[in-house]
Amino acid sequence: MIFRPFYTYETGCAGYLLGCGGLGKCAVVDAHARDIDAYLAFAADKAMQITHVIDTHVHADHHSGGPALAARVGAEYCLHASADVDLAFTPLYDGQEIELGNTRVRVLHTPGHTPESVCLVVTDLRRGPDPWFVLTGDTLFVGAVGRPDLPGRVQESAGELFESIHHKLLTLPGELEVYPAHFAGSACGAGISGKPSTTIAFERRFNPLLALGRDAFVAAVAEVPPKPAEIDAILRTNRGRAQAATP
């Protein structure tokens, strides 16, 4: 397997390129608009074709490079089926498996940060049948979780986030590596560690929010920092509605 993180330190954003080096198929997850040429150059250097471009959710803190990257290479642009966007995309469903040669990506629908949020469980069949790592988007960070206020229904979203974490992510093997879409510097959660990766077992033991019962969790994560001023404009762009919002 080829696996390459791309980090934007100014805003604490992480994107990923992963796939099968032997059969030359890969996906880019949570592409940042300013890094499109870097993804293309890396894939070309490894003789890999980008067949899927996946956003784990509709991003609110930076401009997604997903649609533009997919258009450049003729790849599928993928979001969960519930995504509220005015863009053409390939819908993803809970439990679906994406084939990238000997690399397999299983979709987990994990609403809470946003209704369409997904996590991606990745297996390298050359290594074995057990999953290797999970890309958790904005659902689970190192030492923190995603903020639930973006859809505008904080209590309900916080409850969904609790269910997604405890009934889906925390049922995964403890040794599974965790790669979130953000680290320290992001406004998408409070108290995010500067360390960009972790494991399921480490978060079970040391993430203070995961030790809380449902009611206490909802109360804790409902206390969020102010939304960034540019969030509405970024969301309009990432939903394909920027033109409609222009006077």
Side-chain angles (χ1 to χ4, degrees):
M1 182 195 292
I2 302 293
F3 178 62
R4 164 73 193 278
F6 291 81
Y7 296 135
T8 303
Y9 291 96
E10 299 91 330
T11 54
C13 293
Y16 302 94
L17 185 150
L18 60 119
C20 178
L23 296 178
K25 296 176 69 175
C26 67
V28 176
V29 178
D30 292 332
H32 199 293
R34 77 178 199 175
D35 287 336
I36 289 176
D37 288 339
Y39 308 132
L40 294 172
F42 183 82
D45 183 65
K46 299 297 183 182
M48 301 179 80
Q49 178 187 0
I50 300 172
T51 60
H52 295 75
V53 180
I54 305 168
D55 271 332
T56 58
H57 61 291
V58 180
H59 296 283
D61 66 315
H62 67 276
H63 291 104
S64 170
L69 175 61
R72 284 272 293 271
V73 298
E76 296 183 51
Y77 175 56
C78 305
L79 287 163
H80 187 262
S82 64
D84 178 21
V85 298
D86 294 339
L87 298 164
F89 70 94
T90 298
L92 300 178
Y93 298 92
D94 188 56
Q96 176 181 347
E97 185 174 86
I98 297 169
E99 179 266 316
L100 302 169
N102 289 308
T103 299
R104 302 299 166 89
V105 179
R106 180 163 58 92
V107 177
L108 298 181
H109 184 211
T110 52
H113 174 66
T114 64
E116 76 284 350
S117 287
V118 297
C119 296
L120 304 171
V121 180
V122 181
T123 299
D124 180 4
L125 297 180
R126 296 291 298 272
R127 178 177 183 261
D130 296 328
W132 190 343
F133 59 88
V134 57
L135 305 181
T136 56
D138 283 20
T139 298
L140 177 64
F141 302 129
V142 184
V145 301
R147 61 190 295 165
D149 63 314
L150 298 183
R153 46 189 182 91
V154 180
Q155 299 293 317
E156 182 179 348
S157 294
E160 290 176 343
L161 186 62
F162 180 90
E163 301 295 328
S164 292
I165 291 171
H166 284 268
H167 294 166
K168 291 202 172 172
L169 291 181
L170 295 188
T171 66
L172 297 171
E175 66 272 17
L176 214 64
E177 298 171 10
V178 172
Y179 294 93
H182 293 293
F183 50 94
S186 169
C188 290
I192 307 175
S193 172
K195 188 174 182 294
S197 65
T198 182
T199 66
I200 293 291
F202 190 92
E203 294 309 303
R204 278 200 201 108
R205 181 173 178 184
F206 293 110
N207 189 321
L209 292 168
L210 304 193
L212 301 176
R214 190 181 193 281
D215 291 345
F217 177 92
V218 169
V221 301
E223 296 292 329
V224 291
K227 292 181 182 179
E230 66 275 17
I231 185 173
D232 289 336
I234 292 173
L235 278 173
R236 282 197 299 271
T237 299
N238 288 342
R239 288 173 173 155
R241 297 169 185 162
Q243 189 64 36
T246 303

